[in-house]
Amino acid sequence: MPELTCTARRIGDYESRTEEYELTFAAGDAEPRSLEIKYQAARAYEINAALDRSAETARAVLTDAFEPDLARRPTEEALAQLAWKTLQSAKYEEGAPQRRVLEL
C-alpha cells in the first residue's frame, strides 16, 4: 500500500516561546522534500500558516511520486493533521526525529 512519510525534528532554542521544526515528507521514489517552519504556540494564525505550507509540500511530494488520482486522494486536512501530529510528537524530544506514516 502506498504511503506518505512525515519526519519532524525540533530545531532552534528549546526554551524559546517560538517553536522551530524541520519537516521532511517522502513518498515512493520521489525526492523527499523538507521545509523549516516556526511559530509561537499562542498565535493560531502562525500555526495555520505553517500547516498550510506543510500540506503544500506534502502534496508536491505525492504529485511527484504517484499517479494523479492517488496524489489527490488525501485531503488538505489529512495532510495538515499528519504534519501536526508529527510536530507534536517531536516537541519534547530535543532534536530526535519523530516519524509518522499516512497510508494512501
Side-chain angles (χ1 to χ4, degrees):
M1 176 172 264
E3 345 179 284
L4 173 66
T5 302
C6 179
T7 304
R9 181 174 71 87
R10 189 160 182 187
I11 56 177
D13 180 7
Y14 304 129
E15 301 300 320
S16 173
R17 291 177 49 193
T18 300
E19 296 182 29
E20 297 179 63
Y21 297 90
E22 178 184 62
L23 282 175
T24 302
F25 293 95
D29 294 332
E31 182 79 22
R33 294 190 188 202
S34 296
L35 75 150
E36 289 185 10
I37 59 172
K38 77 180 182 180
Y39 60 85
Q40 285 191 17
R43 295 184 177 165
Y45 69 92
E46 288 182 4
I47 294 171
N48 288 334
L51 294 176
D52 287 346
R53 286 185 45 224
S54 299
E56 290 170 10
T57 303
R59 180 76 64 205
V61 169
L62 290 173
T63 301
D64 290 349
F66 303 116
E67 61 191 45
D69 288 341
L70 187 58
R72 284 191 297 266
R73 188 178 296 169
T75 63
E76 298 301 309
E77 181 180 345
L79 297 175
Q81 202 169 60
L82 172 67
W84 181 249
K85 288 179 179 180
T86 310
L87 287 174
Q88 291 305 296
S89 69
K91 187 172 187 168
Y92 299 108
E93 297 301 320
E94 296 189 2
Q98 299 296 307
R99 183 175 167 255
R100 290 194 178 260
V101 176
L102 176 66
E103 292 182 358
L104 306 174

XYZ file of all heavy atoms in Angstrom:
825
model
N 0.843 -1.178 0.000
C 0.000 0.000 0.000
C 0.891 1.246 0.000
O 1.819 1.344 0.789
C -0.892 -0.029 1.240
C -1.744 1.207 1.388
S -2.948 1.075 2.702
C -4.331 0.551 1.726
N 0.596 2.219 -0.863
C 1.398 3.452 -0.906
C 1.254 4.252 0.390
O 0.203 4.232 1.033
C 0.797 4.234 -2.076
C -0.081 3.300 -2.796
C -0.433 2.187 -1.881
N 2.320 4.950 0.741
C 2.314 5.740 1.973
C 3.038 7.054 1.779
O 3.892 7.185 0.915
C 2.999 5.029 3.139
C 3.274 3.623 3.070
C 3.968 3.053 4.291
O 5.177 3.272 4.430
O 3.296 2.387 5.063
N 2.696 7.978 2.641
C 3.391 9.256 2.763
C 4.009 9.275 4.149
O 3.320 9.050 5.143
C 2.422 10.422 2.610
C 2.986 11.812 2.886
C 4.038 12.190 1.848
C 1.864 12.842 2.927
N 5.304 9.522 4.215
C 6.012 9.561 5.485
C 6.337 11.006 5.837
O 6.791 11.774 4.985
C 7.321 8.759 5.400
O 7.006 7.422 5.035
C 8.058 8.760 6.715
N 6.108 11.359 7.082
C 6.451 12.683 7.593
C 7.401 12.496 8.765
O 7.093 11.763 9.707
C 5.196 13.423 8.044
S 5.523 15.063 8.731
N 8.549 13.147 8.690
C 9.525 13.106 9.775
C 9.726 14.529 10.276
O 9.944 15.443 9.481
C 10.868 12.523 9.284
O 10.632 11.241 8.709
C 11.863 12.393 10.423
N 9.639 14.699 11.587
C 9.803 16.026 12.196
C 10.943 15.989 13.197
O 11.154 14.994 13.884
C 8.524 16.452 12.899
N 11.652 17.097 13.233
C 12.752 17.254 14.180
C 12.700 18.685 14.681
O 12.620 19.634 13.891
C 14.062 16.978 13.455
C 15.300 17.074 14.280
C 16.506 16.631 13.449
N 16.855 17.584 12.420
C 17.662 18.623 12.604
N 18.202 18.847 13.783
N 17.954 19.430 11.610
N 12.726 18.843 15.997
C 12.709 20.193 16.556
C 14.111 20.782 16.463
O 15.098 20.124 16.773
C 12.238 20.176 18.007
C 12.014 21.575 18.532
C 11.135 21.628 19.714
N 10.944 23.039 20.104
C 10.338 23.402 21.185
N 9.826 22.507 21.992
N 10.211 24.679 21.477
N 14.171 22.020 16.010
C 15.442 22.724 15.888
C 15.316 24.044 16.647
O 14.248 24.394 17.104
C 15.818 22.961 14.401
C 14.711 23.717 13.667
C 16.095 21.630 13.709
C 15.035 24.050 12.226
N 16.389 24.755 16.768
C 16.335 26.043 17.446
C 16.441 25.902 18.950
O 16.779 24.851 19.484
N 16.120 26.965 19.639
C 16.194 27.026 21.101
C 14.974 26.341 21.695
O 13.844 26.774 21.490
C 16.262 28.485 21.537
C 16.339 28.666 23.043
O 16.476 27.666 23.774
O 16.249 29.825 23.492
N 15.189 25.281 22.444
C 14.089 24.512 23.024
C 13.366 25.264 24.137
O 12.258 24.908 24.492
C 14.581 23.162 23.550
C 15.280 22.339 22.508
C 16.527 21.798 22.751
C 14.706 22.117 21.263
C 17.177 21.044 21.786
C 15.344 21.372 20.298
C 16.575 20.834 20.563
O 17.218 20.097 19.607
N 13.978 26.290 24.687
C 13.362 27.060 25.769
C 12.615 28.288 25.252
O 11.942 28.964 26.008
C 14.439 27.507 26.768
C 15.211 26.363 27.396
C 14.329 25.402 28.174
O 13.404 25.857 28.875
O 14.555 24.187 28.058
N 12.728 28.564 23.985
C 12.100 29.743 23.389
C 10.586 29.563 23.263
O 10.092 28.452 23.141
C 12.699 29.987 22.000
O 12.005 31.019 21.342
N 9.864 30.662 23.255
C 8.422 30.617 23.013
C 8.124 30.329 21.551
O 7.035 29.904 21.216
C 7.793 31.940 23.421
C 7.828 32.142 24.923
C 7.278 33.474 25.347
N 6.000 33.755 24.725
C 5.429 34.935 24.723
N 6.019 35.953 25.312
N 4.262 35.119 24.156
N 9.110 30.577 20.693
C 8.962 30.277 19.280
C 9.439 28.849 19.026
O 10.576 28.504 19.351
C 9.787 31.260 18.420
O 9.323 32.588 18.667
C 9.658 30.939 16.948
N 8.559 28.039 18.487
C 8.908 26.657 18.191
C 9.354 26.560 16.737
O 8.706 27.101 15.845
C 7.703 25.745 18.444
C 7.288 25.731 19.897
C 6.132 24.801 20.170
O 5.970 23.791 19.456
O 5.377 25.091 21.114
N 10.473 25.860 16.512
C 11.018 25.695 15.169
C 11.203 24.212 14.890
O 11.705 23.480 15.735
C 12.358 26.396 15.041
C 12.276 27.896 15.235
C 13.639 28.556 15.112
O 14.235 28.475 14.017
O 14.096 29.122 16.109
N 10.801 23.810 13.679
C 10.887 22.407 13.282
C 11.379 22.282 11.855
O 11.178 23.176 11.034
C 9.508 21.742 13.348
C 8.911 21.693 14.728
C 8.119 22.731 15.194
C 9.155 20.609 15.566
C 7.569 22.690 16.469
C 8.608 20.568 16.841
C 7.818 21.614 17.282
O 7.280 21.567 18.539
N 11.979 21.136 11.591
C 12.287 20.740 10.225
C 11.403 19.544 9.918
O 11.408 18.558 10.656
C 13.751 20.347 10.082
C 14.090 19.876 8.686
C 15.523 19.403 8.590
O 15.864 18.436 9.290
O 16.273 20.007 7.811
N 10.616 19.660 8.862
C 9.732 18.576 8.426
C 10.226 18.037 7.105
O 10.610 18.806 6.216
C 8.313 19.097 8.207
C 7.439 19.333 9.406
C 6.121 19.972 8.974
C 7.149 18.042 10.118
N 10.198 16.723 6.963
C 10.564 16.087 5.703
C 9.454 15.136 5.308
O 9.024 14.307 6.107
C 11.890 15.313 5.834
O 12.910 16.227 6.256
C 12.296 14.692 4.515
N 8.992 15.278 4.066
C 7.962 14.399 3.519
C 8.590 13.522 2.457
O 9.376 13.995 1.625
C 6.825 15.214 2.900
C 6.034 15.996 3.907
C 6.328 17.314 4.173
C 4.999 15.393 4.599
C 5.613 18.040 5.106
C 4.275 16.105 5.544
C 4.573 17.423 5.797
N 8.231 12.232 2.464
C 8.750 11.282 1.478
C 7.631 10.345 1.054
O 6.794 9.943 1.876
C 9.914 10.496 2.061
N 7.642 9.990 -0.236
C 6.654 9.046 -0.770
C 7.234 8.379 -2.007
O 7.832 9.047 -2.856
C 5.360 9.758 -1.132
N 7.067 7.077 -2.092
C 7.505 6.341 -3.273
C 8.945 6.616 -3.629
O 9.812 6.723 -2.758
N 9.186 6.779 -4.932
C 10.535 7.040 -5.430
C 10.830 8.530 -5.593
O 11.892 8.895 -6.105
C 10.730 6.344 -6.785
C 10.685 4.834 -6.665
O 11.026 4.316 -5.580
O 10.302 4.164 -7.649
N 9.915 9.369 -5.179
C 10.100 10.821 -5.329
C 11.183 11.322 -4.384
O 11.418 10.757 -3.309
C 8.792 11.555 -5.042
N 11.806 12.387 -4.799
C 12.799 13.060 -3.957
C 12.105 13.606 -2.708
O 11.109 14.323 -2.812
C 13.412 14.214 -4.749
C 14.488 14.967 -4.036
C 15.826 14.258 -4.069
O 16.040 13.428 -4.962
O 16.640 14.548 -3.185
N 12.600 13.275 -1.515
C 11.986 13.838 -0.302
C 12.094 15.363 -0.299
O 13.037 15.927 -0.838
C 12.821 13.242 0.837
C 13.490 12.057 0.252
C 13.690 12.366 -1.202
N 11.106 16.003 0.289
C 11.111 17.470 0.387
C 11.051 17.869 1.845
O 10.289 17.314 2.616
C 9.921 18.067 -0.357
C 10.009 17.847 -1.838
C 8.973 18.647 -2.539
N 8.953 18.286 -3.946
C 8.487 19.059 -4.883
N 7.997 20.233 -4.583
N 8.493 18.670 -6.142
N 11.861 18.861 2.171
C 11.927 19.353 3.546
C 11.539 20.823 3.592
O 11.688 21.548 2.601
C 13.345 19.200 4.105
O 13.699 17.847 4.178
N 11.068 21.233 4.743
C 10.808 22.637 4.971
C 11.013 22.925 6.445
O 10.909 22.024 7.281
C 9.394 23.038 4.534
C 8.222 22.636 5.410
C 7.131 23.682 5.257
C 7.685 21.305 4.991
N 11.363 24.151 6.727
C 11.506 24.598 8.107
C 10.336 25.503 8.413
O 9.984 26.367 7.618
C 12.827 25.337 8.310
C 14.024 24.428 8.250
C 15.333 25.128 8.578
O 15.308 26.302 9.040
O 16.376 24.513 8.362
N 9.743 25.263 9.563
C 8.627 26.098 9.991
C 8.899 26.590 11.402
O 9.632 25.952 12.156
C 7.273 25.358 9.929
C 7.293 24.114 10.800
C 6.916 24.999 8.511
C 5.938 23.466 10.921
N 8.321 27.737 11.710
C 8.412 28.226 13.079
C 7.160 29.026 13.378
O 6.567 29.647 12.496
C 9.690 28.999 13.329
C 9.789 30.381 12.830
C 11.164 30.924 13.215
C 11.356 32.341 12.791
N 12.655 32.846 13.148
N 6.770 28.957 14.636
C 5.573 29.637 15.073
C 5.602 29.792 16.584
O 6.345 29.098 17.273
C 4.309 28.862 14.670
C 4.246 27.467 15.245
C 3.752 27.235 16.525
C 4.690 26.374 14.513
C 3.712 25.956 17.064
C 4.653 25.096 15.032
C 4.155 24.894 16.304
O 4.130 23.632 16.830
N 4.797 30.711 17.078
C 4.569 30.826 18.517
C 3.244 30.129 18.801
O 2.248 30.376 18.120
C 4.521 32.280 18.962
C 5.886 32.915 19.000
C 5.863 34.266 19.703
O 4.930 34.600 20.422
N 6.915 35.027 19.495
N 3.247 29.262 19.792
C 2.068 28.452 20.089
C 0.830 29.296 20.381
O -0.281 28.860 20.143
C 2.363 27.518 21.249
N 1.013 30.506 20.861
C -0.123 31.366 21.192
C -0.713 32.059 19.960
O -1.739 32.722 20.066
C 0.301 32.413 22.210
N -0.087 31.893 18.821
C -0.547 32.583 17.615
C -1.112 31.572 16.619
O -0.386 30.989 15.820
C 0.598 33.362 16.981
C 1.073 34.477 17.872
C 2.130 35.282 17.212
N 2.528 36.387 18.055
C 3.614 37.089 17.873
N 4.423 36.814 16.857
N 3.915 38.075 18.682
N -2.408 31.410 16.657
C -3.077 30.425 15.806
C -2.815 30.684 14.325
O -2.648 29.739 13.553
C -4.571 30.409 16.081
N -2.761 31.948 13.913
C -2.536 32.240 12.507
C -1.156 31.765 12.049
O -0.999 31.344 10.903
C -2.741 33.731 12.202
C -1.701 34.652 12.801
C -0.565 35.003 12.081
C -1.853 35.177 14.080
C 0.392 35.850 12.627
C -0.907 36.028 14.622
C 0.209 36.359 13.897
O 1.154 37.188 14.436
N -0.160 31.789 12.922
C 1.165 31.277 12.564
C 1.137 29.754 12.442
O 1.759 29.190 11.543
C 2.211 31.689 13.597
C 2.562 33.152 13.557
C 3.649 33.538 14.558
O 4.204 32.655 15.245
O 3.937 34.746 14.658
N 0.423 29.103 13.333
C 0.301 27.641 13.269
C -0.433 27.246 11.990
O 0.007 26.341 11.268
C -0.432 27.097 14.514
C 0.415 27.322 15.768
C -0.753 25.613 14.342
C -0.294 27.019 17.062
N -1.531 27.931 11.688
C -2.289 27.615 10.468
C -1.454 27.826 9.212
O -1.506 27.016 8.281
C -3.576 28.437 10.404
C -4.596 27.962 11.398
O -4.599 26.809 11.805
N -5.470 28.863 11.820
N -0.685 28.891 9.162
C 0.177 29.150 8.002
C 1.232 28.048 7.871
O 1.519 27.585 6.760
C 0.839 30.513 8.131
N 1.795 27.613 8.981
C 2.797 26.541 8.956
C 2.176 25.233 8.472
O 2.791 24.500 7.677
C 3.415 26.353 10.338
N 0.976 24.940 8.918
C 0.304 23.708 8.485
C -0.088 23.774 7.017
O -0.022 22.762 6.305
C -0.902 23.423 9.368
C -0.571 23.085 10.821
C -1.845 22.913 11.634
C 0.309 21.850 10.909
N -0.473 24.951 6.537
C -0.777 25.115 5.108
C 0.468 24.852 4.264
O 0.401 24.151 3.239
C -1.313 26.516 4.817
C -2.729 26.734 5.321
O -3.410 25.736 5.660
O -3.151 27.912 5.391
N 1.607 25.401 4.681
C 2.860 25.167 3.952
C 3.235 23.692 3.978
O 3.727 23.145 2.996
C 3.993 26.005 4.551
C 3.884 27.475 4.202
C 5.057 28.311 4.685
N 6.332 27.706 4.434
C 7.336 27.656 5.329
N 7.186 28.190 6.521
N 8.477 27.099 5.021
N 3.000 23.046 5.113
C 3.297 21.621 5.247
C 2.436 20.799 4.290
O 2.936 19.893 3.618
C 3.045 21.147 6.682
O 3.870 21.831 7.578
N 1.142 21.114 4.225
C 0.238 20.389 3.328
C 0.639 20.597 1.867
O 0.597 19.654 1.073
C -1.203 20.828 3.563
N 1.054 21.801 1.504
C 1.506 22.080 0.141
C 2.739 21.250 -0.206
O 2.850 20.702 -1.312
C 1.823 23.562 -0.030
C 0.622 24.467 -0.020
C 0.992 25.939 0.050
O 2.196 26.288 -0.091
O 0.078 26.757 0.252
N 3.668 21.172 0.723
C 4.889 20.394 0.497
C 4.565 18.908 0.372
O 5.084 18.218 -0.508
C 5.904 20.634 1.631
O 6.182 22.035 1.701
C 7.190 19.864 1.402
N 3.692 18.424 1.241
C 3.288 17.008 1.185
C 2.606 16.708 -0.152
O 2.879 15.679 -0.777
C 2.365 16.680 2.345
N 1.722 17.592 -0.590
C 1.026 17.392 -1.864
C 2.016 17.365 -3.023
O 1.885 16.570 -3.955
C -0.013 18.493 -2.074
C -0.790 18.393 -3.354
C -1.848 17.332 -3.354
N -2.850 17.642 -2.367
C -3.611 16.724 -1.792
N -3.497 15.470 -2.116
N -4.510 17.064 -0.884
N 3.033 18.203 -2.995
C 4.050 18.217 -4.056
C 4.792 16.884 -4.117
O 5.061 16.366 -5.207
C 5.023 19.366 -3.831
N 5.108 16.317 -2.972
C 5.784 15.013 -2.934
C 4.865 13.937 -3.515
O 5.301 13.094 -4.305
C 6.226 14.645 -1.500
C 6.665 13.200 -1.406
C 7.334 15.562 -1.043
N 3.602 13.969 -3.127
C 2.647 12.979 -3.645
C 2.491 13.094 -5.154
O 2.421 12.084 -5.854
C 1.284 13.159 -2.973
C 1.206 12.772 -1.502
C -0.148 13.167 -0.926
C 1.466 11.290 -1.315
N 2.459 14.322 -5.660
C 2.329 14.546 -7.093
C 3.537 13.994 -7.839
O 3.397 13.417 -8.916
C 2.147 16.049 -7.384
O 0.968 16.494 -6.698
C 2.010 16.324 -8.860
N 4.726 14.146 -7.268
C 5.940 13.614 -7.889
C 5.987 12.090 -7.834
O 6.550 11.457 -8.717
C 7.191 14.158 -7.197
C 7.420 15.633 -7.465
O 6.742 16.195 -8.349
O 8.275 16.222 -6.775
N 5.400 11.513 -6.799
C 5.558 10.081 -6.556
C 4.487 9.203 -7.197
O 4.778 8.062 -7.577
C 5.584 9.811 -5.054
N 3.277 9.704 -7.302
C 2.169 8.835 -7.684
C 1.341 9.419 -8.815
O 1.425 10.596 -9.125
C 1.256 8.576 -6.478
C 1.969 7.966 -5.299
C 2.081 8.656 -4.112
C 2.537 6.706 -5.389
C 2.724 8.099 -3.018
C 3.189 6.141 -4.308
C 3.287 6.838 -3.119
N 0.500 8.561 -9.382
C -0.417 8.995 -10.432
C -1.384 10.030 -9.861
O -1.619 10.065 -8.645
C -1.174 7.800 -10.987
C -2.003 7.092 -9.944
C -2.554 5.769 -10.418
O -1.821 4.991 -11.019
O -3.746 5.550 -10.160
N -1.972 10.867 -10.715
C -2.808 11.981 -10.232
C -3.950 11.563 -9.307
O -4.219 12.254 -8.328
C -3.342 12.613 -11.518
C -2.325 12.267 -12.550
C -1.784 10.916 -12.159
N -4.631 10.464 -9.599
C -5.750 10.056 -8.745
C -5.295 9.761 -7.331
O -5.944 10.145 -6.363
C -6.466 8.833 -9.316
C -7.275 9.174 -10.552
O -7.582 10.363 -10.753
O -7.604 8.248 -11.319
N -4.186 9.077 -7.196
C -3.667 8.730 -5.878
C -3.094 9.958 -5.179
O -3.269 10.132 -3.977
C -2.595 7.641 -5.996
C -2.074 7.052 -4.699
C -3.208 6.444 -3.884
C -1.031 5.989 -4.998
N -2.443 10.836 -5.927
C -1.836 12.034 -5.348
C -2.890 12.983 -4.787
O -2.629 13.699 -3.825
C -0.982 12.754 -6.388
N -4.101 12.986 -5.366
C -5.166 13.876 -4.897
C -5.995 13.266 -3.771
O -6.810 13.944 -3.167
C -6.100 14.226 -6.051
C -5.536 15.237 -7.007
C -6.611 15.735 -7.962
N -7.151 14.684 -8.809
C -6.726 14.398 -10.034
N -5.760 15.108 -10.557
N -7.266 13.432 -10.727
N -5.787 12.000 -3.479
C -6.648 11.290 -2.536
C -6.676 11.886 -1.129
O -7.753 12.165 -0.619
C -6.261 9.813 -2.477
C -7.241 9.016 -1.658
C -6.914 7.563 -1.630
N -7.004 6.979 -2.949
C -6.572 5.770 -3.231
N -6.016 5.028 -2.305
N -6.686 5.290 -4.450
N -5.553 12.088 -0.456
C -5.688 12.646 0.894
C -6.128 14.105 0.831
O -5.682 14.869 -0.022
C -4.288 12.522 1.504
C -3.369 12.263 0.380
C -4.170 11.783 -0.781
N -6.993 14.483 1.744
C -7.463 15.869 1.799
C -6.368 16.766 2.376
O -5.423 16.283 3.013
C -8.718 15.978 2.690
O -8.351 15.609 4.024
C -9.848 15.097 2.187
N -6.528 18.058 2.193
C -5.593 19.016 2.783
C -5.609 18.880 4.305
O -4.577 18.998 4.958
C -5.947 20.451 2.372
C -5.859 20.711 0.884
C -4.481 20.449 0.312
O -3.493 20.975 0.854
O -4.393 19.705 -0.682
N -6.792 18.629 4.845
C -6.919 18.458 6.292
C -6.125 17.239 6.772
O -5.437 17.299 7.799
C -8.381 18.307 6.694
C -8.571 18.157 8.180
C -10.027 18.016 8.584
O -10.920 18.312 7.769
O -10.257 17.611 9.731
N -6.197 16.144 6.037
C -5.449 14.933 6.420
C -3.945 15.182 6.364
O -3.201 14.718 7.240
C -5.830 13.767 5.517
N -3.493 15.933 5.370
C -2.062 16.236 5.247
C -1.607 17.156 6.379
O -0.548 16.945 6.970
C -1.767 16.860 3.882
C -2.045 15.963 2.673
C -1.841 16.743 1.379
C -1.191 14.714 2.706
N -2.413 18.167 6.689
C -2.075 19.074 7.791
C -2.097 18.338 9.126
O -1.243 18.564 9.989
C -3.046 20.255 7.815
N -3.048 17.430 9.280
C -3.136 16.661 10.518
C -1.921 15.743 10.694
O -1.407 15.600 11.809
C -4.422 15.841 10.500
C -4.910 15.435 11.851
C -6.303 14.868 11.750
O -6.510 13.878 11.066
N -7.246 15.486 12.435
N -1.454 15.152 9.608
C -0.240 14.340 9.661
C 0.933 15.188 10.136
O 1.682 14.790 11.030
C 0.068 13.732 8.286
C 1.407 13.020 8.152
C 1.448 11.759 9.012
C 1.677 12.689 6.686
N 1.080 16.373 9.557
C 2.172 17.271 9.951
C 2.043 17.667 11.420
O 3.022 17.628 12.173
C 2.188 18.509 9.056
N 0.839 18.041 11.854
C 0.629 18.496 13.221
C 0.939 17.392 14.232
O 1.630 17.618 15.221
C -0.797 19.003 13.399
C -1.059 19.508 14.773
C -1.865 18.942 15.718
C -0.507 20.676 15.381
N -1.843 19.694 16.865
C -1.023 20.761 16.688
C 0.380 21.664 14.939
C -0.685 21.791 17.558
C 0.713 22.690 15.816
C 0.186 22.749 17.103
N 0.439 16.205 13.991
C 0.689 15.100 14.925
C 2.171 14.746 14.983
O 2.692 14.413 16.046
C -0.140 13.880 14.537
C -1.606 14.064 14.831
C -2.412 12.856 14.427
C -3.878 13.058 14.762
N -4.694 11.899 14.385
N 2.844 14.839 13.852
C 4.273 14.556 13.835
C 5.036 15.642 14.591
O 5.945 15.341 15.367
C 4.793 14.427 12.388
O 3.955 13.519 11.666
C 6.215 13.905 12.367
N 4.657 16.902 14.373
C 5.285 18.007 15.109
C 5.103 17.833 16.610
O 6.053 17.999 17.386
C 4.660 19.349 14.712
C 4.984 19.918 13.353
C 4.150 21.168 13.114
C 6.445 20.212 13.224
N 3.905 17.506 17.026
C 3.630 17.361 18.451
C 4.418 16.206 19.064
O 4.832 16.273 20.210
C 2.126 17.172 18.688
C 1.319 18.415 18.393
C 1.813 19.623 19.173
O 1.757 19.642 20.384
N 2.312 20.624 18.470
N 4.644 15.146 18.287
C 5.424 14.019 18.819
C 6.897 14.388 18.975
O 7.601 13.808 19.797
C 5.265 12.778 17.939
O 5.896 12.945 16.695
N 7.363 15.368 18.202
C 8.769 15.785 18.264
C 9.005 16.928 19.247
O 10.152 17.259 19.554
C 9.240 16.213 16.873
N 7.954 17.497 19.774
C 8.042 18.714 20.582
C 9.016 18.606 21.753
O 9.807 19.508 21.985
C 6.655 19.079 21.093
C 6.590 20.408 21.800
C 5.156 20.771 22.089
C 5.078 22.169 22.632
N 3.712 22.670 22.653
N 8.986 17.529 22.487
C 9.810 17.398 23.687
C 10.959 16.402 23.511
O 11.539 15.959 24.480
C 8.941 17.002 24.888
C 7.891 18.035 25.173
C 6.559 17.787 24.892
C 8.238 19.272 25.684
C 5.593 18.744 25.136
C 7.281 20.243 25.914
C 5.958 19.974 25.641
O 5.008 20.929 25.869
N 11.286 16.085 22.295
C 12.333 15.095 22.024
C 13.714 15.717 21.818
O 14.658 15.015 21.483
C 11.947 14.238 20.817
C 10.679 13.426 21.031
C 10.774 12.483 22.218
O 11.841 11.873 22.428
O 9.772 12.366 22.952
N 13.832 17.024 21.978
C 15.100 17.756 21.905
C 15.956 17.381 20.696
O 17.121 17.039 20.809
C 15.879 17.584 23.202
C 15.151 18.201 24.377
C 15.978 18.237 25.644
O 17.149 17.824 25.627
O 15.435 18.705 26.648
N 15.343 17.434 19.538
C 16.080 17.227 18.298
C 16.032 15.825 17.739
O 16.458 15.594 16.610
N 15.526 14.867 18.486
C 15.409 13.497 17.966
C 14.270 13.453 16.948
O 13.175 13.941 17.219
C 15.151 12.515 19.093
N 14.510 12.897 15.771
C 13.456 12.853 14.758
C 12.324 11.903 15.148
O 12.561 10.853 15.728
C 14.176 12.367 13.494
C 15.465 11.810 13.946
C 15.768 12.338 15.298
N 11.125 12.318 14.813
C 9.930 11.507 15.033
C 9.251 11.310 13.686
O 9.223 12.226 12.870
C 8.973 12.201 16.010
C 9.565 12.437 17.378
C 9.876 11.139 18.088
O 9.027 10.277 18.227
N 11.122 10.989 18.517
N 8.694 10.133 13.483
C 8.155 9.784 12.166
C 6.725 9.276 12.291
O 6.413 8.515 13.207
C 9.048 8.703 11.565
C 8.683 8.272 10.204
C 9.761 7.283 9.698
N 9.290 6.628 8.517
C 8.869 5.378 8.467
N 8.890 4.624 9.530
N 8.433 4.875 7.336
N 5.893 9.671 11.348
C 4.528 9.162 11.228
C 4.264 8.851 9.759
O 4.853 9.463 8.866
C 3.504 10.163 11.721
C 3.537 10.350 13.221
C 2.292 11.073 13.673
N 2.309 11.198 15.116
C 1.636 10.406 15.940
N 0.894 9.443 15.459
N 1.692 10.590 17.232
N 3.344 7.932 9.541
C 3.032 7.482 8.187
C 1.542 7.617 7.925
O 0.722 7.282 8.780
C 3.478 6.014 7.992
C 3.064 5.491 6.626
C 4.970 5.885 8.187
N 1.188 8.092 6.734
C -0.191 8.152 6.270
C -0.328 7.162 5.129
O 0.343 7.304 4.103
C -0.536 9.571 5.805
C -1.930 9.778 5.203
C -2.991 9.564 6.273
C -2.041 11.157 4.598
N -1.147 6.153 5.332
C -1.392 5.189 4.255
C -2.402 5.781 3.304
O -3.411 6.351 3.718
C -1.891 3.866 4.833
C -0.834 3.144 5.633
C -1.300 1.796 6.165
O -2.477 1.429 5.942
O -0.486 1.138 6.795
N -2.138 5.641 2.003
C -2.994 6.250 0.995
C -3.992 5.256 0.439
O -3.802 4.117 0.384
C -2.141 6.816 -0.136
C -1.042 7.777 0.310
C -0.176 8.156 -0.861
C -1.653 9.011 0.932
